[in-house]
Amino acid sequence: MVKLRAKCLLVGDAAVGKSALSHMFHSDGTLFQKNYSMTTGVDLMMKCVQIPETSDSVELYIVDSAGKQTLVEACEKMWGEVSLLCLVFDLSSEQSFANCSHWMERVRAHCRGTRLPGVLVGNKTDLSTRREVQASVAQEWAESQGLEYHETSAKEKENCDAPILALATAFHSLYQEHRETIQNLSPG
Amino acid sequence: MIESSLASLGATIVVASSSDENHPPENITDGNTNTFWMSTGMFPQEFIIRFSEPTDISAVTVDSYNVKHLKIEKNTSQSASQFESVTEKEFQQTDGHLQSNAISLNGSGATHLRLIITSGYDHFASVHRVSVQNEHS
C-alpha cells in the first residue's frame, strides 16, 4: 500500500468553471456554487482518491489559480512545483478553447521540461444549445498535447469524478514507472 | 576512522515523510544500495536517523537518485526535536546510475541527524544508503 501526493494545477480562462469543478471534486459531487465569485488569487483544495483495484491512494492538492489575464502572472509565483495539470475550457466559448494553447505554453515553461501528466476538461455540457466546441476537435487537440479529454457539467453534476480519477491514475502510473527505473539503476 | 552502515551502529530511522510498504525507510540503513526508500510525491521530503548513543560523525555518504538539494540538521537531545542546521549541498543529476555524495560534518557529536530533500530532479527521489564516517571511540 502506498499513499502518493501530487500537486495538481487547475488553470484555464476566467469563468469557465474551474472553481465550480474544484468544489465538485472536493465535495464528491454534492456542492455546486450557485453564485459566481471570481478567484483572484490561488485557492487550495485537498482530495484523496482511491486507485481502483489497488490499496493505493493519491492525495491531490488542487491549486485553483485565477484565470483572469491580468492576475495570472502574480498567481504563477504561487504555483511552485507542479505534478499534474487540469486544463479547463467552456464548451460554449470557442475563445476559451483557443486560449488553451496559451495556457499550455505557460505551464510548460513553468515546469522546465518535467513531464506533466494531465487532463483537458470541456465544462458546461449543460449548455448544449450554445455549444461552440465539438468533442472530436477538443479530443484531437488534447491528444496532440498528451492530455486525456473529458467533458463535464459542474452544474448538472455530470461526469465530474472522471477527470479527477484520470489525474490520480496518471500520477499512480508515473510513480510505478519511476519505481521500475530506480529498481534498474546501477550503483554510483 | 571507520565507515559503517547505520544498522551496524544501531541507528534507526524514526521519522520518514513518505511511506511505500515495498520500500520502507529501513532500506536506507541496511547498507545495501539495491534496496531503497522512495519519496511518494512533492517536496520537501525528510527522514530522521537516531543513533543509539551520541556519535561523533565526521562525514556522511548519501547514495540516492534524483535528489537535487539536501539539507542536514542534527541535535544532541534524546528526542527528535530542536534541530540545528549543519550543512546543505546541491547534488549533480545522474542518468542510469546512483548519485553518491560525501558530505563533511566536521566531527560534530549527534544523537539525531535530519536529512531534508528540499528539491528533486523529477517528481520522485530515492535514497538507497546513508553511511557515516565516525571517529573511533
Side-chain angles (χ1 to χ4, degrees):
Chain A
M1 191 197 76
V2 56
K3 184 170 230 168
L4 305 176
R5 290 189 203 100
K7 190 196 271 186
C8 176
L9 184 63
L10 182 59
V11 290
D13 277 7
V16 296
K18 296 182 294 302
S19 302
L21 275 173
S22 167
H23 283 112
M24 290 307 275
F25 294 159
H26 185 67
S27 65
D28 287 317
T30 55
L31 188 80
F32 176 69
Q33 249 186 318
K34 288 202 180 68
N35 297 318
Y36 180 68
S37 154
M38 184 187 280
T39 307
T40 52
V42 164
D43 285 344
L44 182 68
M45 198 89 80
M46 201 278 276
K47 170 79 188 159
C48 192
V49 183
Q50 194 70 36
I51 303 296
E53 287 158 40
T54 69
S55 53
D56 302 344
S57 55
V58 180
E59 260 176 24
L60 292 171
Y61 292 80
I62 300 166
V63 175
D64 179 10
S65 186
K68 183 104 180 129
Q69 205 57 44
T70 47
L71 301 169
V72 176
E73 211 158 306
C75 288
E76 191 182 334
K77 293 191 177 74
M78 292 180 271
W79 290 357
E81 276 176 69
V82 178
S83 339
L84 293 166
L85 172 66
C86 183
L87 177 54
V88 186
F89 70 96
D90 175 352
L91 286 164
S92 69
S93 158
E94 173 73 44
Q95 190 58 49
S96 73
F97 175 62
N99 285 341
C100 283
S101 52
H102 300 305
W103 284 107
M104 208 58 204
E105 270 169 43
R106 189 178 271 272
V107 172
R108 284 233 172 85
H110 181 84
C111 295
R112 274 165 281 143
T114 310
R115 212 175 96 205
L116 196 65
V119 294
L120 175 71
V121 179
N123 190 35
K124 311 194 187 179
T125 47
D126 49 285
L127 301 179
S128 54
T129 53
R130 283 159 52 192
R131 184 191 266 264
E132 291 184 0
V133 183
Q134 292 315 308
S136 56
V137 177
Q139 172 87 43
E140 196 177 321
W141 185 79
E143 268 169 35
S144 75
Q145 302 298 311
L147 302 173
E148 202 176 293
Y149 182 59
H150 292 275
E151 290 191 353
T152 58
S153 164
K155 182 169 174 277
E156 299 300 330
K157 307 176 176 41
E158 255 175 39
N159 207 31
C160 293
D161 48 349
I164 206 84
L165 183 61
L167 285 163
T169 308
F171 195 70
H172 187 252
S173 312
L174 192 66
Y175 178 74
Q176 305 295 346
E177 234 175 79
H178 276 257
R179 215 168 65 123
E180 261 167 53
T181 309
I182 290 170
Q183 255 155 353
N184 295 325
L185 290 172
S186 48
Chain B
M1 198 184 291
I2 51 165
E3 174 162 310
S4 326
S5 82
L6 289 171
S8 69
L9 287 171
T12 53
I13 305 280
V14 290
V15 168
S17 56
S18 277
S19 155
D20 179 338
E21 62 185 5
N22 293 312
H23 303 280
E26 290 73 42
N27 288 351
I28 296 170
T29 55
D30 66 2
N32 180 355
T33 54
N34 290 320
T35 62
F36 56 90
W37 167 80
M38 189 169 166
S39 77
T40 58
M42 308 213 290
F43 293 101
Q45 293 281 342
E46 66 169 73
F47 55 92
I48 296 175
I49 302 162
R50 174 181 290 162
F51 296 93
S52 53
E53 55 187 50
T55 308
D56 287 325
I57 303 160
S58 52
V60 294
T61 302
V62 179
D63 295 281
S64 58
Y65 191 65
N66 277 338
V67 174
K68 189 171 182 189
H69 192 89
L70 182 80
K71 263 175 132 158
I72 299 182
E73 301 179 352
K74 67 151 193 173
N75 77 12
T76 51
S77 82
Q78 289 304 305
S79 60
S81 62
Q82 289 176 321
F83 284 85
E84 54 177 293
S85 169
V86 183
T87 185
E88 48 192 290
K89 186 169 178 170
E90 184 101 8
F91 287 9
Q92 292 290 317
Q93 189 171 18
T94 57
D95 189 17
H97 63 89
L98 295 183
Q99 303 164 308
S100 188
N101 288 271
I103 302 159
S104 172
L105 300 188
N106 304 318
S108 49
T111 50
H112 294 92
L113 281 185
R114 181 185 192 188
L115 282 77
I116 307 166
I117 303 167
T118 56
S119 60
Y121 285 106
D122 212 322
H123 296 288
F124 309 102
S126 57
V127 178
H128 298 243
R129 179 176 64 187
V130 173
S131 47
V132 300
Q133 289 80 34
N134 62 319
E135 312 292 338
H136 203 53
S137 52

